[in-house]
């Protein structure tokens, strides 16, 4: 027999299958992690067996040296998935395979943990043995413990009862009273249980849970979208769907955004399902990560909870994948390969015969349009649990505040609501969106936002250049001295930070205690959980934070949410900004009034009449959806088109520029030929220019941005671009191709 091996070296030149002979005494199968002699000098390299075959044409074939892990580390389905990813994401086969296993497995950086266990030897009578040990009190005590347990005990455990007893244990083994074994143990992350009652589902919840159950039974790879307002009990639907899935003898994967992977979330699942849960996230130690992965691979866990990369968990009897907050951008990987967890999940449930459940209060436009077109099954939870109302949202026009002479961060309304909330001893959250800090340019008097003439995208202020720039086409404009619209001198770059907000609260309410949560205060490991539980306990009355406070938290005493500046993300230079802003505002507003106390939201904005702000105020997802999808259609933005970008970086600015321009010229010709006369219109945009961030760490950057209409010719056009890229990338320094790039900077 022969094996096709992908050698674990990430390089285009060796990213193909190499054939090796399988020695007769090696039980190699597909998926094994092996050592093979490689290259001149036959250095030992790690590799993955991706296929077996009976014959080989090569005359000089080397043997596989040895197997690393006794079981195949890759499932057949994972190998097929990696092969698909190679084409879909234009990555190396080995890069895709590496996602399927814990990093620690490679290079054998981590080993199984073994402990010695001891038990009473066969035929030993405890009574007689104890008498014989009168003169050795420690040995006697150990034997007593083991006799009492009536089972084997681990040596570390015995040491806990009886510190320093290892020599005594050894003596007992020598005397033949005990026998020893070594046993593998799994390093497990600490488990919390957060008790939630096993509620009887509401009618809407039952309908949703039944639909999921039917889809799991059918095992056709169906996708369901659960659209439920904040606090509508989506998590309870997940818990029931998982229980149904387990009852059918199948396994489940639950993905949550990394930021929601708090002990609270995991604790709710652990409380219901106990030991059958494995957790995968970035805060585990290397040993825990490796062992949780092995528990899954060896079939000791039935439910996997984790962040994005847990979508690759080696689950064989996969019945259900749940993706909570499916609209979150953290499901999109930003490193190589740039996979989308939702897409991988859909592939896996199809291949393994399961179902995919996407859940959100604000589904992505793409998912919702698929649900409306019947591609996905739409399930709805239109109301909060127990008839609790959604919070009331009041918008404040910050332009009016300015006219009235209030140029502080808080409007009169927000100050008033804040003092009411504080007076009755309830809690408030103040949300500030730092991503938009001091980037866009707008007029404080009339609300005018400086936009690009070609793209209908707001211009970004570049402090270093003292100019504004369009991040889509690269056009620049000077920072105007007066507002082009109202001619007043109030136009300037815009933005407020969390620290300023905290100061303002202290000025208004000197005795009120606050907590601040942003990337600056969250550097230390575990600080996120610490801060959240401090707020939960009521250590502070006001929590100030960025995006981090928007997600999934359930604070029963929070009755007020203040959104300090709702427009900041609205005007980011990205066609996804309206969608992201609506999602963010709805999620933040959803933090208010989740328990028995009704909630209020004060939304401060310079554009109260902007449709997105109006939909957010009404918390009207469906209205938002229909509006925004029309906007995308008008401007031919995705999903009606596809963006691609090719980034050139070089220490030598001229080289980057030359490479970019030449590449663009040839590529344009190739693309036009591929599209033909009939498809001429499909190429909506192809511009080669300096990247908006012109230099990063001393490297100059140029980029080509391509926008293609989504027609039946699109796959051929993309293929033409990727093939062209493969042929040309080595000719012009560092070049990266991105399909559907997440950023255009
Ligand atoms: P979502 O995930 O949609 O924001 P949750 O699942 O967190 O909502 O539910 C909101 C609250 O309602 C939680 O405190 C939860 O325990 C409670 N809850 C969920 N389902 C029920 C039910 N059927 N009956 C009573 N309470 C419920
Ligand atoms: Zn532009």
């Amino acid at each position: 027999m022969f094996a096709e091996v992908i050698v674990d070296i990430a390089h285009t030149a060796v990213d193909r299958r190499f054939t090796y002979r399988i020695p007769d005494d090696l039980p190699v199968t597909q998926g094994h992690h092996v050592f093979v002699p490689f290259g001149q000098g036959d250095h030992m390299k790690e590799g993955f067996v991706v296929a077996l075959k009976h014959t080989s044409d090569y005359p000089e074939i080397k043997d596989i040296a040895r197997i690393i892990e006794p079981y195949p580390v890759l499932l057949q389905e994972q190998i097929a998935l990696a092969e698909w990813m190679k084409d879909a994401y234009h990555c190396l086969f080995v890069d895709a395979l590496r996602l399927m296993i814990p990093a620690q497995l490679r290079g054998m950086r981590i080993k199984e943990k073994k402990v010695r266990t001891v038990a009473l030897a066969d035929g030993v009578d405890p009574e007689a043995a104890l008498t014989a040990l009168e003169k050795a009190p420690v040995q006697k005590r150990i034997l007593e413990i083991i006799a009492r347990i009536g089972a084997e005990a681990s040596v570390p455990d015995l040491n806990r009862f009886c510190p320093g007893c290892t020599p005594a244990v050894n003596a007992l083994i020598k005397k033949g009273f005990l026998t020893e074994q070594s046993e593998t143990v799994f390093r497990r992350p600490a488990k919390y249980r957060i008790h939630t009652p096993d509620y009887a589902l509401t009618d809407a919840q039952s309908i949703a849970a039944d639909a999921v159950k039917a889809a799991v039974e059918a095992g056709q790879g169906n996708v369901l979208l659960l659209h439920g307002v904040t606090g509508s009990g989506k998590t309870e639907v997940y818990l029931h769907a998982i229980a149904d899935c387990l009852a059918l003898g199948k396994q489940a994967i639950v993905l949550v955004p990394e930021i929601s992977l708090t002990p609270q979330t995991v604790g709710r699942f652990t409380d219901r399902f106990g030991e059958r849960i494995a957790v995968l996230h970035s805060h585990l130690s290397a040993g825990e990560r490796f062992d949780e992965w092995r528990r899954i691979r060896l079939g000791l866990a039935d439910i996997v909870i984790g962040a994005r990369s847990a979508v690759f968990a080696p689950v064989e009897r996969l019945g259900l994948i749940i993706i909570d907050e499916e609209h979150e951008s953290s499901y999109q990987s930003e490193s190589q390969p740039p996979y989308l967890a939702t897409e991988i999940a859909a592939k896996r449930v199809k291949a393994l015969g399961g179902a995919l459940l996407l859940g959100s209060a604000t589904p992505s436009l793409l998912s919702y349009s698929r649900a409306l077109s019947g591609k996905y099954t739409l399930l709805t939870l239109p109301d909060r649990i127990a008839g609790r109302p959604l919070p009331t949202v009041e918008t404040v026009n910050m332009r009016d505040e300015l006219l009235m002479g209030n140029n502080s961060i808080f409007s009169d309304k927000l100050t008033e609501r804040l003092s009411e909330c504080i007076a009755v001893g309830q809690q408030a959250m103040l949300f500030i969106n730092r991503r938009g800090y001091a980037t866009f340019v707008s007029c404080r008097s009339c609300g005018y936002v400086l936009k690009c003439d070609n793209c209908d995208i707001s211009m970004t202020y570049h402090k270093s250049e003292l100019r504004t720039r369009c991040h889509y086409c690269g056009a620049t404009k000077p920072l105007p001295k007066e507002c082009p619209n109202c001619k007043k001198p109030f136009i300037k770059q815009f933005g407020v930070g969390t620290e300023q907000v905290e100061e303002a609260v202290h000025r208004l309410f000197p005795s009120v205690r606050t907590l601040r949560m942003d990337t600056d205060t969250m550097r230390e490991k575990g600080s996120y959980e610490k801060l959240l539980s401090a707020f939960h306990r009521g250590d502070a009355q006001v929590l100030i934070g960025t995006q981090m406070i928007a997600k999934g938290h359930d604070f029963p005493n929070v009755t007020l949410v203040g959104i300090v500046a709702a427009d900041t993300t609205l005007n980011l230079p990205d066609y996804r900004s309206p969608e992201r802003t609506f999602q963010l505002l709805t999620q933040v507003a959803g933090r208010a009034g989740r328990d028995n106390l009704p909630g209020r939201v004060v939304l401060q904005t310079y554009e109260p009449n902007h449709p997105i702000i109006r939909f957010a105020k009404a918390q009207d997802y469906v209205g938002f959806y229909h509006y925004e999808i029309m906007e995308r259609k008008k401007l031919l933005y995705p999903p009606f088109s596809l963006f691609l970008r090719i980034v050139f970086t070089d220490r030598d600015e001229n080289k980057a520029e030359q490479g970019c321009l030449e590449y663009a010229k040839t590529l344009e010709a190739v693309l036009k030929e591929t599209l033909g006369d009939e498809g001429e219109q499909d190429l909506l945009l192809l511009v080669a220019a300096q990247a908006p961030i012109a230099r990063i760490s001393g490297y100059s950057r140029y980029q080509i941005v391509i926008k293609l209409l989504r027609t039946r010719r699109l796959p051929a056009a993309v293929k033409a671009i990727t093939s062209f890229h493969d042929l040309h990338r080595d000719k012009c320094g560092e070049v990266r191709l991105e399909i559907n790039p997440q950023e255009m900077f």
Side-chain angles (χ1 to χ4, degrees):
M1 284 295 269
F2 300 91
E4 293 184 348
V5 174
I6 296 290
V7 179
D8 194 2
I9 300 172
H11 197 288
T12 28
V14 296
D15 194 53
R16 56 197 164 84
R17 295 158 183 245
F18 291 91
T19 303
Y20 285 87
R21 191 195 329 271
I22 303 175
D24 291 338
D25 57 342
L26 270 194
V28 171
T29 59
Q30 196 186 25
H32 260 120
H33 191 204
V34 292
F35 267 125
V36 289
F38 189 73
Q40 288 167 355
D42 284 345
H43 293 294
M44 282 301 155
K45 293 284 175 205
E46 290 173 34
F48 303 99
V49 176
V50 294
L52 299 184
K53 55 185 185 180
H54 290 283
T55 53
S56 166
D57 303 335
Y58 293 102
E60 277 177 56
I61 267 192
K62 299 174 197 167
D63 280 5
I64 288 183
R66 72 178 181 89
I67 293 177
I68 303 176
E69 291 286 313
Y71 51 89
V73 298
L74 296 165
L75 307 176
Q76 196 176 356
E77 170 258 342
Q78 291 178 311
I79 295 170
L81 179 65
E83 183 125 55
W84 172 83
M85 291 174 70
K86 185 165 88 85
D87 294 330
Y89 301 123
H90 201 64
C91 66
L92 301 179
F93 199 169
V94 72
D95 276 337
L97 290 175
R98 284 175 178 180
L99 292 170
M100 319 279 170
I101 56 169
Q104 297 80 11
L105 196 83
R106 299 172 38 235
M108 297 184 298
R109 275 169 284 155
I110 197 132
K111 298 246 154 48
E112 284 184 12
K113 189 174 170 187
K114 303 256 190 199
V115 286
R116 288 170 72 203
T117 59
V118 286
L120 218 52
D122 282 342
V124 171
D125 170 32
E127 294 301 324
L130 287 171
T131 331
L133 290 170
E134 267 329 320
K135 291 213 184 80
V138 184
Q139 293 178 28
K140 188 178 168 204
R141 177 148 159 60
I142 302 249
L143 204 74
E144 265 170 6
I145 295 172
I146 291 172
R148 198 176 332 121
I149 307 173
E152 57 185 29
S154 82
V155 178
D157 281 348
L158 289 170
N159 271 284
R160 230 164 277 146
F161 285 109
C162 198
C165 69
T166 307
V169 172
N170 292 339
L172 286 167
I173 294 167
K174 227 168 157 189
K175 289 178 186 165
F177 290 130
L178 297 180
T179 52
E180 90 172 302
Q181 264 173 353
S182 108
E183 197 174 75
T184 306
V185 290
F186 292 96
R187 284 150 287 200
R188 303 284 318 271
K191 293 175 291 281
Y192 299 88
R193 285 175 186 247
I194 307 288
H195 184 66
T196 47
D198 195 348
Y199 298 110
L201 296 184
T202 63
D203 288 348
Q205 283 175 319
S206 298
I207 292 169
D210 288 346
V212 180
K213 186 180 176 188
V216 174
E217 269 170 336
Q220 304 281 307
N222 292 348
V223 184
L224 307 103
L225 175 64
L226 178 62
H227 173 219
V229 299
T230 54
S232 59
K234 291 184 289 297
T235 313
E236 204 55 42
V237 174
Y238 303 156
L239 291 167
H240 276 254
I242 294 167
D244 289 338
C245 175
L246 297 191
L248 291 165
K250 298 188 174 184
Q251 297 164 295
I253 297 176
V254 183
L255 302 186
V256 297
E258 176 82 45
I259 202 156
S260 323
L261 260 177
T262 56
Q264 282 88 335
T265 314
V266 179
R268 255 173 105 172
F269 285 86
T270 312
D271 182 55
R272 229 30 99 76
F273 302 109
E275 290 301 310
R276 308 300 290 175
I277 290 186
V279 186
L280 291 176
H281 59 75
S282 60
H283 290 319
L284 303 183
S285 70
E288 288 168 350
R289 212 180 152 71
F290 178 57
D291 285 355
E292 287 291 86
W293 179 86
R294 276 189 321 134
R295 285 179 60 237
I296 302 164
R297 179 64 192 88
L298 302 175
L300 300 172
D302 291 325
I303 305 161
V304 180
I305 303 183
R308 178 178 66 221
S309 61
V311 75
F312 296 107
V315 169
E316 271 175 298
R317 288 172 290 114
L318 187 61
L320 178 65
I321 299 182
I322 295 173
I323 303 187
D324 188 29
E325 311 282 5
E326 68 90 26
H327 62 278
E328 277 291 312
S329 57
S330 64
Y331 290 122
Q332 170 72 51
S333 168
E334 279 171 359
S335 43
Q336 207 45 24
Y339 68 90
L340 178 64
T342 320
E343 192 173 24
I344 300 292
K347 280 270 159 206
R348 291 200 73 190
V349 294
K350 190 132 215 155
L352 290 170
L356 170 61
L357 175 62
L358 308 174
S360 176
T362 51
S364 67
L365 282 179
L366 194 60
S367 295
Y368 202 75
S369 72
R370 285 180 178 162
L372 291 186
S373 74
K375 253 188 172 168
Y376 295 173
T377 306
L378 183 62
L379 308 169
T380 336
L381 302 178
D383 304 305
R384 279 191 165 181
I385 287 292
R388 286 169 203 155
L390 280 171
T392 0
V393 184
E394 302 170 281
T395 44
V396 178
N397 185 347
M398 292 304 276
R399 272 182 270 160
D400 296 344
E401 296 289 311
L402 191 71
L403 286 178
M404 291 182 318
N406 175 8
N407 60 2
S408 72
I409 296 173
F410 298 144
S411 60
D412 289 348
K413 176 66 89 199
L414 184 51
T415 310
E416 184 190 325
R417 295 287 179 226
L418 206 48
S419 56
E420 284 168 10
C421 171
I422 287 166
V424 295
Q426 293 168 356
Q427 288 178 303
M429 287 166 85
L430 296 177
F431 172 73
I432 162 89
N433 206 331
R434 246 252 287 261
R435 264 202 83 209
Y437 186 62
T439 51
F440 74 100
V441 176
S442 91
C443 174
R444 273 213 164 206
S445 176
C446 74
Y448 171 88
V449 173
L450 193 66
K451 287 193 170 168
C452 172
D453 300 335
N454 312 323
C455 302
D456 195 32
I457 287 281
S458 47
M459 301 293 277
T460 297
Y461 179 60
H462 285 246
K463 204 169 172 188
S464 57
E465 305 167 77
L466 300 172
R467 281 178 82 81
T468 68
R469 205 177 248 284
C470 169
H471 281 184
Y472 272 77
C473 71
T476 72
K477 284 190 209 184
L479 184 67
K481 296 216 167 17
E482 60 180 36
C483 172
N485 185 43
C486 73
K487 311 289 177 215
K488 298 217 177 87
F490 298 122
I491 190 151
K492 58 177 204 163
Q493 65 275 26
F494 191 89
V496 192
T498 44
E499 282 169 59
Q500 280 166 274
V501 174
E502 190 173 37
E503 279 164 25
V505 174
H506 287 161
R507 236 176 288 130
L508 285 168
F509 310 100
S511 61
V512 163
R513 277 200 288 187
T514 57
L515 286 167
R516 182 158 63 87
M517 184 180 264
D518 54 31
T519 37
D520 296 334
T521 61
M522 290 297 109
R523 293 247 164 74
E524 223 175 283
K525 201 180 153 179
S527 47
Y528 182 71
E529 286 79 18
K530 236 186 268 169
L531 214 140
L532 286 182
S533 50
F535 190 57
H536 219 272
R537 279 197 307 270
D539 290 0
Q541 241 182 319
V542 182
L543 174 65
I544 298 144
T546 55
Q547 274 85 327
M548 292 179 183
I549 67 170
K551 314 282 155 63
H553 312 302
D554 213 345
F555 300 112
N557 202 29
V558 169
T559 54
L560 176 67
V561 166
I563 298 169
V564 176
D567 332 85
T568 47
T569 40
L570 198 51
N571 293 302
L572 282 181
D574 189 321
Y575 70 88
R576 284 161 288 216
S577 292
E579 178 180 10
R580 289 188 179 150
T581 304
F582 176 82
Q583 288 164 342
L584 202 55
L585 295 179
T586 312
Q587 297 285 342
V588 185
R591 295 313 109 211
R594 290 174 65 85
D595 210 49
N596 290 321
L597 305 165
R600 274 188 187 284
V601 179
V602 178
L603 192 157
Q604 301 191 150
T605 172
Y606 285 91
E607 296 173 76
N609 290 319
H610 192 295
I612 296 299
I613 301 291
R614 295 214 314 262
F615 288 122
K617 174 178 159 61
Q619 297 172 75
D620 175 8
Y621 175 82
V622 177
F624 152 78
Y625 170 82
H626 288 294
Y627 167 81
E628 187 57 20
I629 203 86
M630 282 314 293
E631 289 295 298
R632 295 269 184 101
K633 198 167 187 172
K634 262 193 265 168
L635 296 165
L636 293 178
Y637 281 137
F640 304 99
S641 63
L642 176 73
F643 275 103
L644 292 100
R645 143 168 119 143
I646 304 142
V647 188
F648 299 75
T649 49
D650 204 302
R651 279 203 180 278
D652 180 347
E653 159 138 29
N654 283 330
K655 270 202 194 143
E657 181 177 17
Q658 279 312 312
C660 174
L661 296 181
E662 274 162 33
Y663 187 114
K665 215 163 90 192
T666 339
L667 177 62
E668 186 165 9
V670 169
L671 208 45
K672 284 196 166 140
E673 198 180 308
T674 308
L675 291 168
D677 291 342
E678 195 197 358
E680 212 179 338
Q681 311 290 331
D682 291 7
L683 183 58
L684 299 170
L685 186 75
L686 189 152
V687 278
Q690 189 168 55
I693 300 178
R695 265 165 92 81
I696 292 182
S697 350
Y699 283 83
S700 294
R701 306 169 79 235
Y702 275 75
Q703 68 182 26
I704 302 172
V705 174
I706 302 169
K707 186 180 173 193
L708 284 163
L709 194 63
R710 212 172 266 280
T711 64
R712 63 188 162 77
R713 286 175 295 270
L714 183 69
V718 172
K719 187 82 202 144
I721 296 171
T722 56
S723 309
F724 180 86
H725 185 68
D726 281 341
L727 287 174
H728 291 79
R729 66 164 150 207
D730 295 331
K731 296 185 188 149
C732 29
E734 182 64 32
V735 191
R736 195 177 66 236
L737 168 68
E738 297 171 349
I739 300 169
N740 187 23
Q742 289 304 295
E743 307 281 1
M744 290 291 200
F745 309 155

